[in-house]
Amino acid sequence: MTREIGVAVVGAGFWAREMHLPALAQLPGVKITSVVATSQESARRAAEPYEAKALTGIAEAAAEADVLDIVAPPDVHLPAVEIAAAHGTHALCIKPLARSLDEADRMLAAVEAAGTRLFYAENVPFIPALQAARKAVDAGDIGEVFRVKACEGIGQPHSPWFFDPERSGGGAIRDMAVHSLEFCRFFARSTVSTVYAEAGTFVHQKRTTAEDTAVLTLRFANGVIGQCEDSWSLTGAMDSRFEVFGTEGRILVDNLHRQPLQVVNQSAGWSYPLPIAGLVADGHLAMLGHFLDCLRTGAPSLSDGHVGRDVLAVVDAAYRSVASGRREEIKETTR
């Protein structure tokens, strides 16, 4: 019989309500023990459909769960992981792993000292279309990969805290490019050696000093070239496209336009009626199931805290490149 795993969810915002909580509820052997929010009412609204406790304290949630699922703003990530580690509770953390490399290193140190695990909730490697693309690449269907490209764009973030660099740690690079970078790393199958980045604030100048548009050019240790186009400035729409170029072919994955209908309204925003639920098509269900299976079996994870930390090493170099106007080398990574 599958051992039941108790999961406490930290955060009651859009991503917790629309992705993680519904996905966890579908996984066998999982009990959602509590939802933590800054207000009791927000926690109650999110927790009630799952018959979970509504809490405002992370420590209480960690003490009653096997896993802390952190789906909260980045300024919460470090303290939540440290609290989880102090209670001997495993943690999984949504992207970006942290606001800085220093915070990421402190998170990794906390779980190492406690003997617990930290998973990095980056859904890109779990997207079914990209898993199929990876199989095609591994089979040699497009020859030798020499270039990879990702485009991740939205009109604006779904919550005001994104516009506060103190809470978020940055703008579109830290929020969106982490997805693009992990895609590029996943298909280049190498470490990033250097990055050149251009960024600016064009659409949301009245709301933030953080960048809302960025273009990154990567060079991998094995010679592969990577390109990342990431923004909060795709007014009225959303984009999620991935390309892999090989010496004998090319793969294009348009992850949002796989459905037959997209509706965009200037005031209401965009919607895209999906033939497949987003938590399946975007890999969240498979990702969370993978993490919990790893806990049950002790198997290594495809996306652990070290992956999140090493992506942030590229993000850190990208910000240095924006400031210097030069191509920057990636500082030491953990693997």
Side-chain angles (χ1 to χ4, degrees):
M1 179 179 293
T2 301
R3 183 178 74 84
E4 184 175 78
I5 294 179
V7 181
V9 176
V10 178
F14 175 83
W15 218 247
R17 297 192 316 272
E18 299 299 322
M19 292 294 176
H20 281 226
L21 284 164
L24 289 167
Q26 292 187 35
L27 293 171
V30 172
K31 177 178 174 57
I32 300 170
T33 56
S34 62
V35 176
V36 181
T38 53
S39 76
Q40 188 70 29
E41 179 58 24
S42 293
R44 185 195 64 76
R45 286 198 302 268
E48 198 169 56
Y50 307 99
E51 299 181 346
K53 286 186 178 180
L55 302 175
T56 56
I58 297 175
E60 183 179 355
E64 299 176 349
D66 300 298
V67 180
L68 208 62
D69 180 10
I70 304 161
V71 198
D75 59 323
V76 178
H77 294 186
L78 171 61
V81 168
E82 289 181 332
I83 290 170
H87 285 83
T89 302
H90 303 291
L92 62 95
C93 185
I94 198 170
K95 64 81 188 172
L97 186 66
R99 295 178 296 177
S100 67
L101 279 175
D102 176 67
E103 286 190 350
D105 287 336
R106 289 167 63 186
M107 292 162 72
L108 290 170
V111 297
E112 183 177 356
T116 56
R117 298 183 71 171
L118 172 61
F119 299 99
Y120 174 53
E122 168 56 73
N123 63 295
V124 163
F126 299 93
I127 294 172
L130 292 184
Q131 291 182 333
R134 175 67 176 262
K135 289 179 181 177
V137 169
D138 291 346
D141 292 349
I142 64 168
E144 184 178 351
V145 173
F146 63 87
R147 183 160 73 98
V148 288
K149 179 181 179 181
C151 301
E152 291 278 349
I154 55 177
Q156 64 179 16
H158 54 75
S159 185
W161 63 258
F162 284 89
F163 292 111
D164 179 1
E166 180 62 29
R167 296 195 68 192
S168 63
I173 294 177
R174 194 172 299 275
D175 177 48
M176 301 294 289
V178 289
H179 287 312
S180 297
L181 289 167
E182 188 52 28
F183 162 79
C184 290
R185 283 160 40 102
F186 190 54
F187 280 88
R189 306 192 75 166
S190 182
T191 57
V192 184
S193 295
T194 62
V195 58
Y196 175 73
E198 290 277 8
T201 312
F202 302 98
V203 175
H204 301 294
Q205 292 175 329
K206 295 181 179 179
R207 302 188 67 181
T208 186
T209 58
E211 74 284 352
D212 62 22
T213 305
V215 178
L216 281 59
T217 304
L218 315 171
R219 194 76 184 206
F220 287 86
N222 62 358
V224 171
I225 296 171
Q227 295 167 274
C228 304
E229 300 175 10
D230 302 281
S231 75
W232 293 341
S233 54
L234 195 62
T235 304
M238 186 173 179
D239 197 9
S240 185
R241 287 177 290 130
F242 307 96
E243 293 180 86
V244 186
F245 298 84
T247 53
E248 298 176 21
R250 168 179 170 261
I251 294 172
L252 168 64
V253 175
D254 190 339
N255 203 45
L256 288 179
H257 301 129
R258 58 186 176 265
Q259 70 287 339
L261 174 65
Q262 183 182 45
V263 180
V264 178
N265 178 275
Q266 183 65 31
S267 58
W270 52 268
S271 68
Y272 52 106
L274 292 172
I276 304 173
L279 59 86
V280 175
D282 292 333
H284 297 284
L285 185 63
M287 174 186 70
L288 293 170
H290 165 76
F291 293 154
L292 297 174
D293 285 343
C294 288
L295 286 180
R296 291 188 179 100
T297 65
S301 173
L302 179 63
S303 185
D304 66 9
H306 294 277
V307 172
R309 191 270 181 203
D310 289 350
V311 168
L312 289 183
V314 185
V315 168
D316 178 71
Y319 279 118
R320 286 190 278 113
S321 176
V322 171
S324 69
R326 299 188 300 269
R327 179 169 290 277
E328 295 285 346
E329 293 186 357
I330 312 305
K331 292 183 178 179
E332 182 180 358
T333 57
T334 56
R335 293 183 176 179

